[in-house]
Amino acid sequence: DAGITQSPRYKITETGRQVTLMCHQTWSHSYMFWYRQDLGHGLRLIYYSAAADITDKGEVPDGYVVSRSKTENFPLTLESATRSQTSVYFCASGRRSGEQFFGPGTRLTVL
Amino acid sequence: GQSLEQPSEVTAVEGAIVQINCTYQTSGFYGLSWYQQHDGGAPTFLSYNALDGLEETGRFSSFLSRSDSYGYLLLQELQMKDSASYFCAVRDLKDDKIIFGKGTRLHILP
């Protein structure tokens, strides 16, 4: 089915572990984005990608790594998870216009 | 730096009209977007203003005035299902980054 999917939907991990959140879109949108959403902060951009093999930092990139070897996939890795990274993570895709399509989100808890 | 300001909460009555404002400080941007998010859900796109003026999509309208650094989302004929959070967002012209406001929680009374 066409759309944007994220996996896992829920994840519990421990401090110091590496975690990868997956994002896959079927629209062939050139732009993909990762956001985190926390109470009181709204949506904050972590990383974005304008095309395959092109990525750039957003507002809060520290502690995260991204890659984009294929247009449809944009995984986000927490290299060594910390409690402050407990959050809801949204992936989105879109064209150069202001319209973005969001995935269902991943709720991550770091113990 | 860039920042977007929205009221944190707005309350309105079912059937009425409500306006959610968004003021911003940025050196330049492509346009102003609006998103709706229900509790536990993902943001969904509502509208995009690339140019000054009013854009209408059904019960929802969005307005942009670059000279006033101001935009708003207008919701008409409010329904209970419109109870949600609403976010404005801009894409910065210089570095292509996207900034979201912190969101406005809309409460609708029967």
Side-chain angles (χ1 to χ4, degrees), chain A residues 12-74:
Chain A
I12 300 174
T13 190
E14 295 178 337
T15 301
R17 300 239 179 181
Q18 183 179 80
V19 178
T20 295
L21 309 184
M22 305 301 293
C23 179
H24 175 78
Q25 55 109 352
T26 61
W27 290 301
S28 299
H29 286 155
S30 57
Y31 280 78
M32 294 189 75
F33 310 85
W34 274 108
Y35 296 90
R36 60 177 292 173
Q37 187 172 35
D38 307 285
L39 280 174
H41 289 282
L43 286 156
R44 290 184 291 174
L45 182 65
I46 303 171
Y47 269 96
Y48 70 101
S49 168
D53 297 321
I54 300 174
T55 61
D56 207 348
K57 296 178 180 179
E59 184 183 354
V60 288
D62 293 344
Y64 303 95
V65 174
V66 293
S67 62
R68 195 166 175 210
S69 57
K70 293 183 178 181
T71 300
E72 62 266 30
N73 296 323
F74 192 38

Side-chain angles (χ1 to χ4, degrees), chain B residues 3-7 20-26 32 34 68-72 88 90 101:
Chain B
S3 68
L4 294 169
E5 298 294 328
Q6 304 178 234
I20 299 174
N21 297 324
C22 176
T23 57
Y24 53 85
Q25 293 181 347
T26 178
L32 182 70
W34 286 94
D68 295 326
S69 298
Y70 165 71
Y72 66 73
C88 58
V90 297

